[in-house]
């Protein structure tokens, strides 16, 4: 199990005992991203004796509390903190997304409440309209009743007129016969005088009752005007509704034009964004190609370093002098044997320390390789944001591996140079001690200096190309980050514009619905009011016609009474008995 621990060194006591190195366990890794604090526990770990006191390390501990592996915790802690920062960013994005959902749900709830209130208002309006239409139906029934009464009055007037015309025809016939007898020179007798008086009395009693008819006509006019007064507020409301419907129609047309313009602008911006995304993908592919190229160059450098190291090893075993390596043989010949032996001993101790350090570094390099292989295995199974995080972590680990490997190349080279230097010192010591030194290796050795120099030149060229590619990649990354930021901003703006277009579309739909309802009310008012108004106008025309007919009947009645009076005087002058005239 992997633990985070602190190195603790206890120095020896007064008697000069050896120091003791321990690890204080601080936290334990539960999962890849989960660490838990542990109770303070100390385990012995002599493997950490080369580390400083208080250093933080990652240590793998077996169930029986044996140390398997120790690693400095600096870089892994940085990775853990980076992952923690990424997780915080992801959580923040999730929180922002949740807040957006909350705002959206709140807006939808408010919109539903508003629509519910609109529906209640519209329902109340429909109920009011239904009551008004019921009133209009009752008024229409009253108009129909009035129309029936007027038609009945008109029929009665027509019947009286026909009776009056018949009486006049009879009177004209009697008058005609009377005139004929007068022309014959005859005189009315008593029976004929009574007969004429009865006819005149009956004719006088058949004169139409004009005042009664005028009173009925006046009542009918009042009824029509009353119904017109009741109908006028509805016509005013009809006019108001029509004005509102016209205004809403203009608003719908203006909003439709605005929505169409904004939608066209949004579509153009969307097309531009898609082109930018396509170019971004092309640039990303180019960046990936350059990264692959730089990866190949690093592999070549690694292979060349390995070959370089093998050549150095071969040169060291063959006794070849390394480029730049010079030993002052004369100075070594002049110093004492004891001093030369101490020099060789110091060189051997330093070589042992450097060899131990290089061995530790090689172990660290091995652990790095294992970590890279583990990350590569996880990448093959990961997807989404986890894949991006693992790829970033893999790139960091590969950079660390490359840096550590390059450092080890120089350190291995230095070890070989130290080994050859020690061997030269030992040969000088043996020669000064009188022992025979075999120079067969030097005689048979090959000079690897030109090859190594050429490899150094090639390495420098590849490093320059690597640096150039690294600068280009860095520039492309910066440009891609800028493009990504612009794309994100434009995407966010387009999403906001799309939401605004959605709201505008909803408003347009609501306004269209309200306008359709307004026109529906206008058409319903017109369909309900127009027949009633037509009936009232028709009744008014008929009443006016009846009024004109009553005027004519009044004139005819006056003329009839005058004629009857004249006939009475004429009959009275013809009768031989004056009492007939009085009758």
């Amino acid at each position: 199990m992997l633990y985070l621990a602190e190195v603790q060194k206890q120095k020896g006591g007064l008697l000069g005992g050896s120091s003791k190195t321990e690890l204080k366990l601080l936290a334990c890794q539960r999962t890849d991203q989960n660490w838990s604090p542990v109770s303070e526990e100390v385990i012995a770990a002599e493997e950490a004796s080369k580390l400083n006191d208080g250093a933080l390390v990652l240590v793998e501990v077996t169930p029986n509390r044996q140390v398997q592996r120790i690693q400095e915790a600096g870089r892994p802690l940085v990775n853990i903190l980076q992952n923690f920062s990424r997780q915080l960013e992801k959580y923040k994005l999730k929180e922002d997304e949740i807040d957006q959902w909350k705002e959206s749900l709140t807006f939808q709830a408010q919109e539903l409440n508003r629509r519910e209130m609109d529906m209640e208002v519209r329902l109340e309006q429909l109920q009011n309209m239904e009551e008004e239409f019921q009133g209009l139906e009752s008024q229409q029934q009253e108009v129909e009743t009035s129309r029936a009464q007027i038609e009945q009055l008109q029929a009665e007037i027509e019947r009286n007129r026909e009776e009056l015309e018949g009486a006049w025809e009879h009177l004209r016939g009697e008058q005609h016969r009377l005139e004929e007898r007068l022309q014959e020179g005859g005189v009315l007798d008593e029976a004929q005088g009574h007969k004429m008086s009865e006819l005149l009395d009956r004719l006088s009693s058949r004169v139409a009752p004009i005042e009664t008819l005028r009173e009925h006509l006046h009542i009918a006019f009042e009824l029509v005007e009353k119904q017109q007064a009741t109908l006028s507020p509805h016509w005013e409301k009809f006019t108001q509704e029509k004005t509102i419907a016209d205004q809403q129609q203009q608003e719908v047309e203006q909003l439709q034009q605005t929505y169409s313009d904004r939608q066209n602008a949004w579509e153009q911006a969307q097309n531009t964004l898609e082109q930018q995304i396509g170019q971004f993908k092309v640039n990303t592919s180019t960046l990936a190609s350059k990264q692959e190229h730089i990866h190949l160059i690093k592999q070549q450098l690694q292979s060349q370093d390995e070959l370089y190291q093998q050549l150095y090893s071969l040169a060291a075993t063959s006794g070849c002098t390394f480029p730049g390596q010079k030993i002052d043989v004369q100075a070594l010949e002049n110093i004492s044997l004891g001093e030369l032996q101490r020099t060789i001993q110091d060189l051997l101790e330093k070589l042992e320390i450097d060899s131990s350090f290089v061995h530790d570094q090689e172990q660290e390099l091995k652990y790095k390789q294992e970590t890279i292989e583990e990350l590569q295995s996880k990448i093959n199974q990961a997807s989404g944001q986890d894949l991006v995080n693992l790829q970033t972590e893999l790139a960091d680990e590969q950079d660390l591996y490359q840096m550590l490997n390059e450092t080890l190349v120089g350190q291995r080279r230095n070890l070989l140079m130290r080994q050859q230097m020690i061997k030269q010192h030992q040969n000088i010591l043996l020669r000064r001690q009188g022992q025979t030194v075999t120079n067969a290796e030097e005689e048979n050795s090959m000079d690897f200096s030109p090859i190594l120099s050429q490899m150094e030149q090639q390495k420098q060229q590849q490093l320059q190309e690597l640096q150039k590619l690294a600068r280009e990649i860095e520039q492309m990354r910066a440009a891609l980050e800028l493009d990504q930021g612009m794309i994100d901003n434009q995407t966010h703006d387009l999403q906001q514009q799309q939401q605004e277009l959605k709201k505008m579309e909803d408003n347009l739909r609501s306004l269209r619905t309200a306008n359709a309802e307004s026109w529906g009310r206008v058409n319903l008012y017109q369909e309900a009011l127009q027949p009633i108004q037509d009936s009232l106008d028709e009744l008014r025309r008929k009443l006016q016609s009846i009024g004109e007919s009553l005027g004519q009947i009044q004139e005819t009645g006056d003329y009839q009474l005058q004629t009857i009076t004249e006939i009475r005087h004429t009959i009275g002058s013809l009768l031989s008995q004056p009492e007939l005239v009085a009758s």
Side-chain angles (χ1 to χ4, degrees), residues 485-498:
M486 294 177 60
I487 289 174
D488 292 340
N489 292 332
Q490 291 180 2
T491 302
H492 183 262
D493 293 339
L494 286 177
Q495 289 176 352
Q496 288 185 341
Q497 293 177 10
Q498 189 175 18

Side-chain angles (χ1 to χ4, degrees), residues 486-536:
M486 294 177 60
I487 289 174
D488 292 340
N489 292 332
Q490 291 180 2
T491 302
H492 183 262
D493 293 339
L494 286 177
Q495 289 176 352
Q496 288 185 341
Q497 293 177 10
Q498 189 175 18
Q499 292 177 358
E500 292 177 358
L501 284 174
K502 184 66 171 59
K503 293 179 182 178
M504 188 178 295
E505 185 180 5
D506 294 339
N507 293 334
L508 182 60
R509 188 182 297 109
S510 300
L511 190 57
R512 282 176 176 171
T513 303
N515 184 245
E517 292 176 355
S518 297
W519 280 115
R521 288 194 296 270
V522 168
N523 296 330
L524 191 59
Y525 268 116
Q526 188 172 9
E527 291 176 359
L529 293 176
Q530 194 61 49
I532 300 176
Q533 186 64 50
D534 293 340
S535 299
L536 285 177

Side-chain angles (χ1 to χ4, degrees), residues 380-392:
N380 295 333
Q381 299 176 355
S383 62
Q385 187 63 36
D386 293 337
L387 177 61
V388 176
N389 296 335
L390 289 174
Q391 288 177 344
T392 304

